[in-house]
Amino acid sequence: MIGDNMQSSAVRWALRTWITSVAIGGSLLSASTAYAQRDDPHGTGGERVAGGRSAPTSVAGTVLDIDEEDIVLDLGSAKGAVDGSVIELWRPFKLRHPVTGQSLTDRFRIGSLRLVQVQKTLAWARPEGALARAPAAGDVVVMPRARPVEPHGTPPKGPALSDAPPSEPVTAEAKELSLLFDALKGQAIADRIARYEQYLRAHPNGAYARVLSEEADALRQLLGAGRSAGAATDVPHQLVTFRPPSSALAHEPLTIGAEMAPAAGAVLHVRHAGEMAYQTLAMRPAGARYFRATIDPAQMQAPEVEYFVEAVTAGGLAVAAIGTADTPQRIEVRETPRPLPPSRPAASASIFTDYADYNRLRGNDYAWQTEGQFGLRYADQGVRAVRSGFGVYRGLGGSVFELDSIG
């Protein structure tokens, strides 16, 4: 059954590739002649048409600005630009020869760009492969122009698509089919067949009606083979019990479990926020109709983890059970609380005592002086330090007569 699934996926991939190639084939056929005049950075080179006139084979534009990953160009739909077109990026140079003083002008190819969003006068583009230099405002872009039809109905040179329908209907139908394929991601085979048949009823004479009809027939054979192999057990699954976790701790393992019936197995697909691809984990049986899998601590990263679960039937078919690749379940991941050491502010304490006797230690003329202080220093926020002190002074004395004569 897995081999049949791969065969079906290959057929769908080939179908989409063929549709796309037909839709943009008219633009690609003239790409090989876009730069016949390499010394003309502004697209003035051309080829002869009826009446001896020279029609330009390319349209030139300029890089206006760099907006994060997008390169803003002055090539819009008014100049014939369309989404998905691949254009060339050139760096112009105008220098003065240090010896002869002659002004030299030339350009160097940096790489290719792909138009990702075309408006009437402007377009966004992104690098198509590696670039020799970082793009900058003022760089020149050159877009191939569709080759005009030669006189007397002679078709353009190059490989011909004899069975292709007119370009405009093909483009519209190709876009509609592309949306259909995107909507069928992760859907069951029976749902795919039903959507194909619905499309065929709406477009019985469409350019791709025969291909879709053959694809629907192949899927019916695949579905019939799966049912005969799995017998009564290969029926759509039923999700019985699942309680999604609302949150989890970062860098800690997390176990996902669910009750599904009937299902021969299950797989868990998981990725953390920012990743493009999912990591697939086989869910192990945990009792009758229960399956579970543990997400590795390295995958549990804040702020979020996305996942979805597919049930595997006895015939080897994977059916969406919990979420899908396009609409996954989400878990909020929080950083693990870490205790902080107690603060230990700097403190100091001191005490000083002085004793003085003024009458030869007779005890009738003396003084005690005691002083003390305590300080506490905090962080540099709010109160920085506190200091307190105290002092005691006492003694005994009298006149000289009392001390010397009476004493």
Side-chain angles (χ1 to χ4, degrees), residues 23-48:
I24 65 174
S27 299
L28 296 180
L29 288 178
S30 59
S32 60
T33 62
Y35 303 107
Q37 302 295 329
R38 286 290 183 176
D39 295 330
D40 188 3
H42 297 289
T44 57
E47 58 182 16
R48 292 292 176 180

Side-chain angles (χ1 to χ4, degrees), residues 13-386:
W13 177 85
L15 173 62
R16 177 175 293 197
T17 303
W18 181 73
I19 292 173
T20 305
S21 64
V22 173
I24 65 174
S27 299
L28 296 180
L29 288 178
S30 59
S32 60
T33 62
Y35 303 107
Q37 302 295 329
R38 286 290 183 176
D39 295 330
D40 188 3
H42 297 289
T44 57
E47 58 182 16
R48 292 292 176 180
V49 295
R53 291 180 294 105
S54 178
T57 59
S58 60
V59 179
T62 305
V63 175
L64 303 180
D65 191 15
I66 308 296
D67 185 10
E68 296 182 355
E69 297 181 356
D70 296 312
I71 304 171
V72 184
L73 312 174
D74 60 351
L75 284 179
S77 58
K79 293 184 178 181
V82 294
D83 291 349
S85 297
V86 177
I87 62 178
E88 289 197 359
L89 178 64
W90 294 78
R91 176 67 52 83
F93 282 91
K94 186 175 183 181
L95 304 174
R96 180 175 297 277
H97 198 286
V99 177
T100 64
Q102 182 183 3
S103 179
L104 303 176
T105 302
D106 213 328
R107 59 190 174 96
F108 297 88
R109 185 178 182 276
I110 299 177
S112 300
L113 304 177
R114 180 176 293 275
L115 301 181
V116 296
Q117 188 175 150
V118 177
Q119 301 299 328
K120 184 176 181 180
T121 58
L122 300 177
W124 276 353
R126 291 184 180 177
E128 181 76 2
L131 300 180
R133 294 288 189 275
D139 287 347
V140 175
V141 292
V142 181
M143 177 182 66
R145 182 191 294 273
R147 180 178 298 180
V149 178
E150 297 183 2
H152 308 294
T154 304
K157 297 179 181 180
L161 299 176
S162 57
D163 297 332
S167 58
E168 286 302 324
V170 169
T171 301
E173 189 173 357
K175 291 182 178 179
E176 185 176 357
L177 281 176
S178 180
L179 295 176
L180 174 62
F181 292 145
D182 290 337
L184 289 176
K185 289 182 179 179
Q187 300 298 319
I189 293 181
D191 295 336
R192 294 175 184 271
I193 296 174
R195 291 295 300 274
Y196 288 163
E197 291 177 343
Q198 180 182 359
Y199 186 89
L200 290 172
R201 287 193 295 270
H203 305 81
N205 298 320
Y208 313 106
R210 179 176 178 180
V211 179
L212 285 179
S213 177
E214 293 176 353
E215 172 71 0
D217 292 339
L219 290 178
R220 288 191 195 93
Q221 297 176 6
L222 180 64
L223 185 61
R227 287 175 176 172
S228 61
T233 60
D234 197 10
V235 296
H237 79 285
Q238 178 182 1
L239 180 62
V240 179
T241 304
F242 175 67
R243 295 180 180 178
S246 58
S247 62
L249 294 179
H251 312 296
E252 295 291 338
L254 177 67
T255 300
I256 300 293
E259 179 186 7
M260 292 177 287
V267 289
L268 170 66
H269 307 274
V270 61
R271 69 183 179 186
H272 60 75
E275 278 190 318
M276 295 297 296
Y278 287 92
Q279 179 183 358
T280 301
L281 304 175
M283 303 185 73
R284 298 183 177 181
R289 304 190 303 181
Y290 287 90
F291 300 90
R292 68 179 181 180
T294 301
I295 303 176
D296 190 81
Q299 198 73 18
M300 298 296 297
Q301 299 183 18
E304 191 177 61
V305 165
E306 300 176 341
Y307 69 96
F308 68 97
V309 176
E310 291 182 319
V312 181
T313 63
L317 298 178
V319 184
I322 303 171
T324 64
D326 295 332
T327 58
Q329 297 284 323
R330 290 177 169 84
I331 306 174
E332 179 186 3
V333 179
R334 303 175 181 176
E335 291 292 343
T336 305
R338 301 181 181 276
L340 299 176
S343 60
R344 295 182 178 179
S348 63
S350 59
I351 186 169
F352 307 93
T353 299
D354 293 329
Y355 173 77
D357 189 290
Y358 304 103
N359 196 19
R360 294 171 289 184
L361 300 178
R362 292 181 179 180
N364 58 359
D365 190 7
Y366 66 90
W368 284 94
Q369 181 176 339
T370 303
E371 294 181 356
Q373 66 179 12
F374 172 78
L376 184 64
R377 185 176 183 86
Y378 294 92
D380 291 340
Q381 297 179 358
V383 179
R384 296 185 58 185
V386 175

